Amino acid sequence: MKYFCKDCSYQGTTVGSQGQCPGCGSFNLVRAGHSEEKEEPARWRLVLLAALWGYLGILILWKLLT
């Protein structure tokens, strides 16, 4: 298992006895290969968002024209 330190950019397979970085002593380590990127939202959520914005636009236009 590989580790990556976000503070000093240490990359290696070993960590300190309490889980700290051997290079700087920080506890800000992550496992390499585990990205922290967020997943894309589900397609139905995007469709719902577009539909609600459209509905809001129609309501605003209706209020302005009447």
Side-chain angles (χ1 to χ4, degrees):
M1 184 176 313
K2 293 189 111 185
Y3 296 95
F4 176 76
C5 178
K6 290 184 177 181
D7 292 334
C8 71
S9 300
Y10 165 80
Q11 293 180 1
T13 57
T14 60
V15 294
S17 62
Q18 296 178 351
Q20 75 262 20
C21 172
C24 67
S26 168
F27 289 96
N28 201 3
L29 289 173
V30 293
R31 291 184 197 156
H34 288 86
S35 63
E36 294 183 6
E37 297 177 14
K38 295 181 180 178
E39 294 180 11
E40 262 188 55
R43 189 156 203 58
W44 67 269
R45 292 178 69 188
L46 294 174
V47 171
L48 179 63
L49 177 67
L52 288 173
W53 274 107
Y55 182 66
L56 178 64
I58 290 170
L59 288 176
I60 290 172
L61 283 174
W62 180 65
K63 278 290 190 184
L64 290 173
L65 296 175
T66 57

